[in-house]
Amino acid sequence: MEPLGESVCPYCGVGCRLAFEGVKNQVLRVRGVEAAPANLGGICAKGAQLGPTIRTADRLTKPQLRLSRHDAFRSVDWDTALRYAAEIFTNLLHTHGPQAVAFYGSGQLDTQTVYLITKLFKGHLGCNNTDSNSRLCMAAAVAGYRTSLGCDGPPTCYDDIELADLILIMGSNMAEAHPVTFDRIRASKKKRPEQQIVVIDPRRTVTALAADLHLAVAPGGDIALLNALGKILINIGAVDRAFVGDHTRGFEEFRQFLQAQDVNELSAVAGVAPGELFALASRIAEAGSLLSFYCMGLNQSTVGMWKNNSLINLHLLTGQIGKPGAGPFSLTGQPNAMGGREGGLLSHQLPGYRFVEDALHRAELEAFWQRPKGTISQKPGLTAVEMFRALEKGQLKALWIAGTNPAVSLPDLHQVRRALQKAQLVVVQDVYHPTETTRLADVILPVAQWGEKDWTSTNSERMVSYSPKLWDPPGEALPDWQILARFAAALGFEGFNYSDAGQVWDEFIQLTKGRPCDMAGATSERLRDVTSLQWPCPTPDHPGTKRRYLDKVFGTPDGKALFLPRDHREPREVPDHEFPFILTTGRLYTHWHTLTRTAKADKLVKREPGPFVEVNPEDAGQLGVDDGDLLQISSRRGTVQLPARLHTGVLPGMVFLPFHWGDQFCEGNAANYLTISAIGRVAKQPELKFCAVALEKVRSDHPQLTTNHSPLTTHQP
Ligand SMILES: Nc1nc2c(c(=O)[nH]1)N[C@H]1C(S)=C(S)[C@@H](COP(=O)(O)OP(=O)(O)OC[C@H]3O[C@@H](n4cnc5c(=O)[nH]c(N)nc54)[C@H](O)[C@@H]3O)O[C@H]1N2
Ligand SMILES: Nc1nc2c(c(=O)[nH]1)N[C@H]1C(S)=C(S)[C@@H](COP(=O)(O)OP(=O)(O)OC[C@H]3O[C@@H](n4cnc5c(=O)[nH]c(N)nc54)[C@H](O)[C@@H]3O)O[C@H]1N2
Ligand code: SF4
Ligand SMILES: [Mo]
């Protein structure tokens, strides 16, 4: 066994740096790198089990093409595949204009790739239809930071963990979804037992079990809860007058808005007793520093941005921002979700935290890319869910997908499948085949994944990391950015001729100069040397920045943060007599998203072998359901059948479904056949944490439900 080198983990947004050992292309041992600031040697089960996911029988080695969806795929060379796609794109652009095509990407693409997607689509095709699975993930957090603080991006860092007196974890199951960061919280608490951990989550999760206080908020009740806390804090005199006076706007309106509300009524909506709210408020008032972690429980809602604003209101009220150990810390899910924001992948963004609506921003980029004035459209493009609606309606005709598996992860999967079937051209860039999405494609392009390429990514705490190529990709697989560059050339564009990933990076960081996410000092040469740097890092001698807003100057034109009064809104679909239960969905420790990787690691599969639905024993009793019985769960959009797992951790009236298992594993029984595609007004993020369902016992055993963990062999849709 020999050292194979180090890389950022390709899974979650913690951004652990891992060291690999093995022989040639075979990874036999993985450990956390101690000197890495993101994990300080930490690693979780998924990272440790990367070995079996690297060289698998279903790795794509050659481009695949079929002229009709009834045909089987055949292997072709790169030129044939890219020329085929380029020809259809060119025809569609000529006949229908840029609105006919779109790119659906991911927070798992490296920053080089994100940048080239934006450069090609927004800067050359005049098409803002680029979006990513981050729209399902943190669009609400992006919009929340921007509206409250005037600028996106977390103010905080992991080093704040040890410094915080009170750690609030809201709508985040960190123990399972950001395990190494949560381990750090546990270790800190052990050293400083007076440190308080409070969890706000409708479920009593593994995270909640470790807390000093767990408030089982009613699903969707967060804004009411936060407003009640705000009102109590004002009433008990916990307002940081100096901070509020000097560095914020809108406090008086906010105070009046809260005075008009009744704590008992808010408490009833939040599903948390007034006494508990008073107890939490006094802990917040007493805390010298308050650090709030939050994730999908706040974001995946039609009022996700409002939930974010409401939490930030509390930080402003108590002056808990812009100082060590304090601040609102939105956790990112994927390894490079942050890089997607920096590179401008969402449909309203441009590289360097710029926006398509801003004439100056468009002009800056057109000049930089040497494109004719007016090339970049000022209208934000279609967002994730909107793309699939437009596909079904025939308004959108070609979709290029990379780094995401929408046939499992988007809400309302029956609609998603109809949309993909209707498309004239679906191109999928992936590591593996078949996946639920490649099965519906016309062209499949083989990707060289992490470990097989040089790449750059940014984790939850703004830490930009460089990961080097460690071993060769299989067959003809290429890094994502090279595929994009070659496609741009096939479309006839110049300016996509790069020698390596470092050159793409060095071009991109020029566009961050003077911007909030300034990485101009993190050149590829320097990153190769120091491995990671936190932005802003404007010059080559700058050490990087742990904490933003230490000067209390925020991103708004006058530098003041904004109080934004937000009132409780019902989720888009609430339970009624026909669909009386609330469905919430989420993650498990051992699995990653749609299982294209973790299902290949036997040790992980053994721990969670198949899908299930978590039901409160009280409800189960009334339905006559025992552990393991097959339960039918129906919503207005679909029906699935899954074994029940009785658990007091879910509230009565609510069920929890992990969304990991798609059609390859339990045909027709994926969680997202049930979920609703309603999206928020501004952030356009879908409500994946709340819809109404009905439950019905099917029978006491479940012989029909077989969970197949080896990918299906059929290549047909
Ligand atoms: N093991 C593992 N880790 C992962 C991932 C994975 O697939 N597997 N994926 C990564 C990605 S992309 C992401 S985005 C993150 C997600 O990380 P998390 O957001 O922590 O994970 P989830 O399980 O989606 O949801 C978190 C919690 O929200 C709660 N919740 C539901 N409704 C509400 C509500 O109305 N209010 C509140 N306060 N809470 C609510 C749920 O009960 C759940 O416990 O995880 C990342 N890490
Ligand atoms: N019901 C419900 N649905 C959800 C959620 C939820 O909480 N509940 N969470 C949502 C969230 S937050 C997220 S982030 C999404 C995640 O959902 P997806 O993005 O669909 O999940 P993955 O399984 O990670 O899909 C990544 C795909 O890219 C491939 N891949 C891996 N590495 C690379 C690479 O380097 N390049 C390329 N081109 N491909 C690669 C993988 O094989 C896989 O097919 O799910 C969303 N859907
Ligand atoms: S905590 Fe996240 S980044 Fe770290 S090893 Fe686990 S999955 Fe990878
Ligand atoms: Mo995510």
Side-chain angles (χ1 to χ4, degrees), residues 12 46 137 170-174 176-178 200-203 205 217-222 295-298 300 307 333-334 584-593 660 689:
C12 87
K46 292 179 295 302
C137 183
M170 195 163 183
S172 152
N173 184 7
M174 285 180 81
E176 300 199 60
H178 295 88
I200 301 178
D201 192 307
R203 296 162 56 225
T205 56
V217 64
D222 302 278
C295 210
M296 294 308 115
L298 292 202
Q300 287 175 336
K307 290 192 188 188
Q334 300 170 89
T584 200
T585 60
R587 296 163 166 75
L588 305 174
Y589 173 65
T590 45
H591 284 303
W592 178 257
H593 294 164
H660 299 299
K689 289 281 182 270

Coordinates of all heavy atoms in Angstrom, one line a residue, residues 12 46 137 170-174 176-178 200-203 205 217-222 295-298 300 307 333-334 584-593 660 689, ligand 1:
C12 N -20.0 16.1 1.1 CA -20.8 17.2 1.7 C -20.0 18.5 1.8 O -18.8 18.5 1.6 CB -21.5 16.8 3.0 SG -20.4 17.1 4.4
K46 N -19.1 8.0 5.0 CA -19.2 8.1 3.6 C -17.8 8.4 3.0 O -17.4 7.8 2.0 CB -20.1 9.3 3.2 CG -21.6 8.9 3.5 CD -22.5 10.1 3.1 CE -22.3 11.4 3.9 NZ -22.4 11.2 5.4
C137 N -31.8 23.6 -2.9 CA -30.9 23.4 -1.7 C -30.7 24.7 -1.0 O -31.1 24.8 0.2 CB -29.6 22.9 -2.3 SG -28.4 22.4 -1.1
M170 N -30.9 24.9 13.5 CA -32.3 25.1 13.1 C -32.6 24.4 11.7 O -31.9 24.9 10.8 CB -32.7 26.5 13.1 CG -34.2 26.8 13.1 SD -34.5 28.5 13.6 CE -36.3 28.4 13.5
G171 N -33.5 23.4 11.7 CA -33.7 22.8 10.4 C -32.5 22.2 9.8 O -32.3 22.2 8.5
S172 N -31.6 21.7 10.6 CA -30.4 21.0 10.1 C -30.2 19.8 11.0 O -30.2 19.9 12.2 CB -29.3 22.0 10.2 OG -28.0 21.3 10.4
N173 N -29.9 18.7 10.3 CA -29.6 17.5 11.0 C -28.1 17.2 10.9 O -27.6 16.3 10.2 CB -30.4 16.3 10.5 CG -30.2 15.0 11.2 OD1 -29.6 15.0 12.3 ND2 -30.8 13.9 10.7
M174 N -27.3 18.1 11.5 CA -25.9 18.1 11.3 C -25.2 16.8 11.6 O -24.2 16.5 11.0 CB -25.2 19.2 12.2 CG -25.4 20.6 11.7 SD -24.7 21.8 12.8 CE -23.0 21.7 12.3
E176 N -26.0 14.0 11.0 CA -26.0 13.0 9.9 C -25.6 13.7 8.6 O -25.0 13.0 7.7 CB -27.4 12.5 9.7 CG -27.9 11.7 11.0 CD -29.1 10.8 10.7 OE1 -28.9 9.9 9.9 OE2 -30.1 11.0 11.3
A177 N -25.8 15.0 8.4 CA -25.6 15.6 7.1 C -24.3 16.4 7.1 O -23.8 16.7 6.0 CB -26.8 16.5 6.7
H178 N -23.8 16.9 8.2 CA -22.5 17.6 8.3 C -21.7 17.0 9.4 O -21.4 17.7 10.4 CB -22.7 19.1 8.4 CG -23.4 19.7 7.2 ND1 -24.7 19.8 7.1 CD2 -22.8 20.2 6.1 CE1 -25.0 20.4 5.9 NE2 -23.9 20.6 5.3
I200 N -33.7 23.1 16.8 CA -35.1 23.3 16.4 C -35.4 22.5 15.2 O -35.0 22.8 14.1 CB -35.4 24.9 16.2 CG1 -35.0 25.6 17.5 CG2 -36.8 25.1 15.8 CD1 -35.2 27.1 17.4
D201 N -36.2 21.5 15.4 CA -36.5 20.5 14.3 C -37.7 19.7 14.7 O -37.8 19.3 15.8 CB -35.3 19.6 14.1 CG -35.3 18.7 12.8 OD1 -36.4 18.1 12.6 OD2 -34.4 18.7 12.1
P202 N -38.7 19.6 13.8 CA -39.9 18.8 14.1 C -39.5 17.4 14.5 O -40.3 16.7 15.3 CB -40.7 18.8 12.8 CG -40.0 19.7 11.9 CD -38.7 20.0 12.4
R203 N -38.4 16.8 14.1 CA -38.0 15.5 14.4 C -37.0 15.5 15.5 O -36.1 16.3 15.6 CB -37.5 14.7 13.2 CG -38.4 14.6 12.1 CD -37.7 14.3 10.8 NE -36.9 13.1 10.9 CZ -35.6 13.0 10.5 NH1 -35.0 14.0 9.8 NH2 -34.9 11.9 10.6
T205 N -34.0 14.2 16.0 CA -33.0 13.6 15.2 C -31.8 13.3 16.1 O -31.8 13.6 17.3 CB -32.5 14.7 14.2 OG1 -32.1 15.8 14.9 CG2 -33.6 15.0 13.2
V217 N -40.5 22.0 16.7 CA -41.3 23.0 16.0 C -42.3 22.3 15.1 O -41.9 21.2 14.5 CB -40.4 24.0 15.2 CG1 -39.7 23.3 14.1 CG2 -41.3 25.2 14.7
A218 N -43.5 22.8 14.9 CA -44.4 22.2 14.0 C -43.8 22.5 12.6 O -43.3 23.5 12.3 CB -45.7 22.9 14.1
P219 N -43.9 21.5 11.7 CA -43.3 21.7 10.3 C -43.9 23.0 9.8 O -45.1 23.2 9.8 CB -43.8 20.5 9.6 CG -44.1 19.4 10.6 CD -44.5 20.1 11.8
G220 N -43.0 23.8 9.2 CA -43.4 25.1 8.7 C -43.7 26.2 9.7 O -44.0 27.3 9.3
G221 N -43.4 25.9 11.0 CA -43.8 26.9 12.0 C -42.6 27.8 12.4 O -42.7 28.5 13.4
D222 N -41.5 27.8 11.6 CA -40.3 28.5 12.1 C -40.5 30.0 12.2 O -40.0 30.6 13.1 CB -39.2 28.2 11.1 CG -38.9 26.8 11.0 OD1 -38.2 26.2 11.8 OD2 -39.4 26.1 10.0
C295 N -30.1 24.8 7.7 CA -30.0 24.1 6.4 C -31.4 23.9 5.8 O -32.2 24.8 5.8 CB -29.2 22.8 6.7 SG -28.2 22.3 5.2
M296 N -31.7 22.7 5.3 CA -32.8 22.5 4.5 C -34.2 22.7 5.2 O -35.2 23.0 4.6 CB -32.8 21.1 3.8 CG -31.7 21.0 2.8 SD -31.7 22.3 1.6 CE -30.1 23.1 2.0
G297 N -34.2 22.5 6.5 CA -35.4 22.7 7.3 C -35.9 24.2 7.2 O -37.1 24.5 7.3
L298 N -35.0 25.1 6.9 CA -35.4 26.5 6.7 C -35.5 26.8 5.2 O -36.4 27.5 4.8 CB -34.4 27.5 7.3 CG -34.2 27.6 8.8 CD1 -33.6 28.9 9.2 CD2 -35.6 27.4 9.5
Q300 N -35.9 24.7 2.3 CA -36.8 24.0 1.4 C -38.2 24.3 1.7 O -39.0 23.4 2.1 CB -36.5 22.5 1.4 CG -35.2 22.1 0.7 CD -34.8 20.7 0.9 OE1 -35.3 20.0 1.8 NE2 -34.0 20.2 0.0
K307 N -38.0 32.6 6.1 CA -37.4 32.0 7.3 C -36.0 32.4 7.5 O -35.6 32.7 8.7 CB -37.4 30.4 7.1 CG -38.8 29.8 7.1 CD -38.6 28.2 7.2 CE -39.8 27.4 7.0 NZ -39.6 26.0 7.3
G333 N -24.8 22.3 1.3 CA -24.9 20.8 1.2 C -23.8 20.1 0.5 O -23.2 19.2 0.9
Q334 N -23.5 20.6 -0.7 CA -22.6 19.9 -1.6 C -21.2 20.5 -1.6 O -21.0 21.7 -1.1 CB -23.1 20.0 -3.0 CG -24.5 19.4 -3.1 CD -25.2 19.7 -4.5 OE1 -25.0 18.9 -5.4 NE2 -25.9 20.8 -4.6
T584 N -42.6 14.9 5.4 CA -41.3 15.6 5.3 C -40.3 14.6 4.8 O -40.4 13.4 5.0 CB -40.9 16.3 6.6 OG1 -40.0 17.4 6.2 CG2 -40.3 15.4 7.6
T585 N -39.3 15.2 4.1 CA -38.3 14.3 3.5 C -36.9 14.8 3.9 O -36.7 15.9 4.3 CB -38.4 14.3 1.9 OG1 -38.2 15.7 1.5 CG2 -39.7 13.8 1.5
G586 N -35.9 13.9 3.7 CA -34.5 14.3 4.1 C -33.5 13.2 3.9 O -33.7 12.3 3.1
R587 N -32.5 13.3 4.8 CA -31.3 12.4 4.6 C -31.0 11.5 5.7 O -31.4 11.7 6.8 CB -30.1 13.4 4.4 CG -30.2 14.2 3.2 CD -29.3 15.4 3.2 NE -29.3 15.9 1.9 CZ -30.3 16.7 1.4 NH1 -31.3 17.0 2.1 NH2 -30.2 17.1 0.1
L588 N -30.1 10.5 5.4 CA -29.6 9.6 6.4 C -28.1 9.7 6.4 O -27.5 10.0 5.3 CB -30.0 8.1 6.0 CG -31.5 7.9 5.9 CD1 -31.7 6.4 5.4 CD2 -32.2 8.1 7.2
Y589 N -27.5 9.4 7.5 CA -26.0 9.5 7.6 C -25.2 8.7 6.6 O -24.3 9.2 6.0 CB -25.6 9.0 9.0 CG -24.1 8.9 9.3 CD1 -23.3 10.0 9.3 CD2 -23.6 7.7 9.5 CE1 -22.0 10.0 9.6 CE2 -22.2 7.6 9.8 CZ -21.4 8.7 9.8 OH -20.1 8.6 10.1
T590 N -25.6 7.5 6.3 CA -24.8 6.6 5.5 C -25.0 6.8 4.0 O -24.2 6.3 3.2 CB -25.1 5.2 5.8 OG1 -26.5 5.0 5.8 CG2 -24.6 4.7 7.1
H591 N -26.0 7.6 3.6 CA -26.2 7.6 2.1 C -26.1 9.1 1.6 O -26.3 10.0 2.3 CB -27.6 7.1 1.7 CG -27.6 5.6 1.8 ND1 -26.7 4.8 1.0 CD2 -28.3 4.7 2.5 CE1 -26.9 3.5 1.3 NE2 -27.8 3.4 2.1
W592 N -25.7 9.1 0.3 CA -25.6 10.4 -0.3 C -26.6 10.4 -1.5 O -26.6 9.6 -2.4 CB -24.2 10.5 -0.9 CG -24.0 11.8 -1.7 CD1 -24.0 12.0 -3.1 CD2 -23.8 13.1 -1.1 NE1 -23.8 13.3 -3.4 CE2 -23.7 14.0 -2.2 CE3 -23.7 13.6 0.2 CZ2 -23.5 15.4 -2.0 CZ3 -23.5 15.0 0.3 CH2 -23.4 15.8 -0.7
H593 N -27.5 11.4 -1.3 CA -28.5 11.7 -2.4 C -29.1 10.5 -3.0 O -29.6 9.7 -2.4 CB -27.9 12.7 -3.4 CG -27.5 14.0 -2.8 ND1 -26.7 14.9 -3.4 CD2 -27.9 14.6 -1.7 CE1 -26.6 16.0 -2.7 NE2 -27.4 15.8 -1.6
H660 N -33.4 9.1 -0.7 CA -32.2 8.6 -1.4 C -32.6 7.5 -2.5 O -31.9 7.5 -3.5 CB -31.3 7.9 -0.4 CG -30.8 8.8 0.7 ND1 -30.0 9.9 0.3 CD2 -30.9 8.8 2.0 CE1 -29.6 10.5 1.5 NE2 -30.2 9.9 2.5
K689 N -39.9 20.0 1.9 CA -40.1 19.6 3.3 C -41.5 19.5 3.8 O -41.8 19.3 4.9 CB -39.3 20.5 4.3 CG -37.8 20.4 4.2 CD -37.3 19.1 4.9 CE -35.8 19.0 4.9 NZ -35.3 18.2 3.7
Ligands
LIG1 N1 -25.3 11.9 4.9 C1 -25.6 12.8 4.0 N2 -25.1 14.1 4.2 C2 -25.4 15.1 3.4 C3 -26.2 14.8 2.2 C4 -26.7 13.5 2.0 O1 -27.4 13.2 1.0 N3 -26.4 12.5 2.9 N4 -26.5 15.8 1.4 C5 -25.9 17.1 1.5 C6 -26.8 18.2 1.0 S1 -26.8 18.5 -0.6 C7 -27.5 19.0 1.9 S2 -28.4 20.2 1.2 C8 -27.4 18.9 3.3 C9 -28.8 18.9 4.0 O2 -28.6 18.8 5.3 P1 -29.9 18.9 6.3 O3 -30.7 20.1 5.9 O4 -29.4 18.9 7.7 O5 -30.7 17.6 6.0 P2 -32.2 17.2 5.8 O6 -32.3 15.8 6.3 O7 -32.6 17.4 4.4 O8 -33.1 18.2 6.6 C10 -32.8 18.7 7.9 C11 -33.9 18.7 8.9 O9 -34.9 19.6 8.5 C12 -36.0 19.2 9.3 N5 -37.2 19.9 9.0 C13 -38.2 19.5 8.2 N6 -39.2 20.5 8.1 C14 -38.8 21.5 8.9 C15 -39.3 22.7 9.3 O10 -40.4 23.2 8.9 N7 -38.6 23.5 10.2 C16 -37.4 23.1 10.7 N8 -36.8 23.9 11.6 N9 -36.9 21.9 10.4 C17 -37.5 21.1 9.5 C18 -36.0 17.7 9.1 O11 -36.7 17.0 10.1 C19 -34.5 17.3 9.0 O12 -34.1 16.7 10.2 O13 -26.8 17.7 3.6 C20 -25.6 17.4 3.0 N10 -25.0 16.3 3.6

